[in-house]
Amino acid sequence: MDQVFNELSTASTSAQACLSDKFAVFKALYSLSKASTKLIEQGLSKQIRVTEDFMTRYFARDYSVIEWTYDTLTGRDHTVRSLLIGRFSASPHAEKLCQQEGVTELEQYHVKNISCSGLALAYLWGIPALSLMGNPDFTPPMVDIVYNFIDTMDEIAQETYSVGLVCEENDVSHHADAIRLVVHSILRDGQSLLMHAPDLLPYLVFSNVAREQLNNIDSTDYSFPRIRDILLELNRAMYDVEQKHMQRFNPKGFRFTPSESQTATTGENGARHTFTFSDNVQHLCEAHMRISASKRIYFKGIESSCKVYIGYVGEHLPTKKY
């Protein structure tokens, strides 16, 4: 798993830059380099994913990234530049990686209506983003980003997510558990998830179809971290029903849709939403959560038995729209 840089901690124009001069930049980049090294110690790779416009952005007023790249530096500042230039990755850029995670042209992650591909990628990967200190809008440990999308009624909807920020090495400790879950989780692919499900996901029951689908998902599949996170959230929500006596099963996030339209779950389409579980029990799994633009997890939560029946993990099933 690579590191990710928050491009909005820099500026698209000189006048918008928060840092006053290049000496403030050198101090901030030194802290950033130490934070990056700390993230490597936590298990992330040396590569730092940046956006397509990274080289044209500004660290400070009248001091752009490209000027820093070719500036005459000595001592520590030269060492820091050599280290970071070796880590900032030319491609694939954050925008492309977001597309690989399923983000489409009809969706946007933003902060104050400014697109934030770096923060979006960090959110989708479940890791904190490296951020240049000095911008008051991006103060660790967290920042909120807004997600705009077209909902099932063809209307524009919004959700807000929190993303971790790291400006200096001491900030990393706030996100150690999240990084550990991504890098060192025993739930590293579909097979390991099924193997550990009885202990780690005790409220979930998998259909024969879902088991086969998960068995075919390996650790290189870009969608697996999101699949794992959705299943963890479904397990948490049913835990709240049983242990915290919540009156209803109410999972959060991931574009949770409690039910499809009637035309999507009746007749032939209804049969496609119905799955067989152990002892030949069948359930209509019309609730779903979004893996990507084209993929969903379909399930049915039953409060009386405190179980979530996972019917299907894959391409969007037929509905009135699809």
Side-chain angles (χ1 to χ4, degrees):
M1 180 68 70
D2 295 339
Q3 302 176 46
V4 179
F5 180 70
N6 167 26
E7 76 276 14
L8 296 191
S9 62
T10 61
S12 58
T13 67
S14 175
Q16 293 174 324
C18 291
L19 297 179
S20 57
D21 54 47
K22 65 181 183 180
F23 301 105
V25 172
F26 298 155
K27 180 180 178 181
L29 288 174
Y30 175 63
S31 294
L32 191 78
S33 69
K34 294 181 71 176
S36 174
T37 299
K38 192 72 173 180
L39 289 173
I40 294 170
E41 293 174 2
Q42 296 292 311
L44 298 184
S45 81
K46 292 182 179 180
Q47 297 298 299
I48 303 173
R49 296 296 167 185
V50 297
T51 51
E52 296 171 353
D53 67 345
F54 175 67
M55 294 300 292
T56 64
R57 298 186 71 85
Y58 284 82
F59 283 139
R61 300 180 187 93
D62 301 318
Y63 196 63
S64 66
V65 175
I66 193 132
E67 287 173 314
W68 167 74
T69 302
Y70 293 104
D71 201 356
T72 301
L73 303 179
T74 60
R76 187 183 77 179
D77 299 330
H78 179 272
T79 301
V80 168
R81 181 177 63 185
S82 298
L83 181 147
L84 288 177
I85 286 178
R87 294 182 182 177
F88 289 132
S89 297
S91 65
H93 294 102
E95 294 91 340
K96 180 64 175 179
L97 292 167
C98 283
Q99 291 176 12
Q100 292 179 10
E101 291 290 338
V103 179
T104 70
E105 294 180 354
L106 297 178
E107 301 168 281
Q108 183 192 34
Y109 290 87
H110 63 90
V111 175
K112 297 181 178 180
N113 292 317
I114 301 174
S115 180
C116 58
S117 296
L119 291 172
L121 184 60
Y123 164 71
L124 293 168
W125 281 358
I127 61 173
L130 284 167
S131 193
L132 195 69
M133 66 168 53
N135 189 323
D137 289 334
F138 301 102
T139 303
M142 307 294 289
V143 65
D144 286 342
I145 65 173
V146 176
Y147 172 49
N148 289 350
F149 60 94
I150 305 298
D151 65 16
T152 55
M153 302 299 292
D154 290 329
E155 296 179 352
I156 297 176
Q158 283 189 348
E159 292 178 355
T160 300
Y161 303 119
S162 293
V163 183
L165 292 177
V166 170
C167 294
E168 51 189 338
E169 60 181 336
N170 289 339
D171 298 331
V172 175
S173 61
H174 295 289
H175 311 289
D177 289 343
I179 296 170
R180 191 177 301 113
L181 177 63
V182 172
V183 176
H184 302 294
S185 174
I186 58 176
L187 306 180
R188 60 188 178 276
D189 54 29
Q191 289 186 359
S192 63
L193 187 148
L194 289 171
M195 181 174 67
H196 295 286
D199 295 323
L200 300 182
L201 304 168
Y203 296 97
L204 306 189
V205 180
F206 297 90
S207 73
N208 299 334
V209 170
R211 285 185 172 277
E212 182 178 355
Q213 291 170 317
L214 288 169
N215 269 316
N216 290 325
I217 297 176
D218 62 28
S219 59
T220 64
D221 191 317
Y222 74 86
S223 65
F224 178 72
R226 192 165 176 89
I227 291 171
R228 178 197 60 214
D229 292 347
I230 290 172
L231 295 176
L232 287 168
E233 171 58 20
L234 294 175
N235 188 76
R236 180 210 62 77
M238 194 56 79
Y239 168 89
D240 284 352
V241 172
E242 183 183 62
Q243 300 295 329
K244 297 183 180 180
H245 307 294
M246 302 293 288
Q247 292 187 352
R248 66 188 183 97
F249 172 62
N250 188 29
K252 305 291 186 181
F254 304 103
R255 301 268 295 272
F256 170 48
T257 302
S259 62
E260 296 276 23
S261 64
Q262 186 176 1
T263 56
T265 54
T266 57
E268 183 178 347
N269 283 341
R272 291 176 179 174
H273 285 76
T274 301
F275 300 95
T276 303
F277 294 80
S278 58
D279 299 327
N280 289 322
V281 174
Q282 291 190 324
H283 288 290
L284 174 64
C285 298
E286 57 179 332
H288 70 249
M289 282 183 157
R290 184 180 188 275
I291 301 170
S292 68
S294 62
K295 295 182 179 181
R296 304 288 188 271
I297 292 180
Y298 289 85
F299 58 91
K300 181 179 183 65
I302 302 180
E303 290 93 341
S304 59
S305 62
C306 293
K307 293 296 181 183
V308 185
Y309 292 88
I310 309 299
Y312 180 91
V313 181
E315 294 297 320
H316 201 304
L317 289 173
T319 66
K320 185 176 181 179
K321 284 177 61 181
Y322 290 86

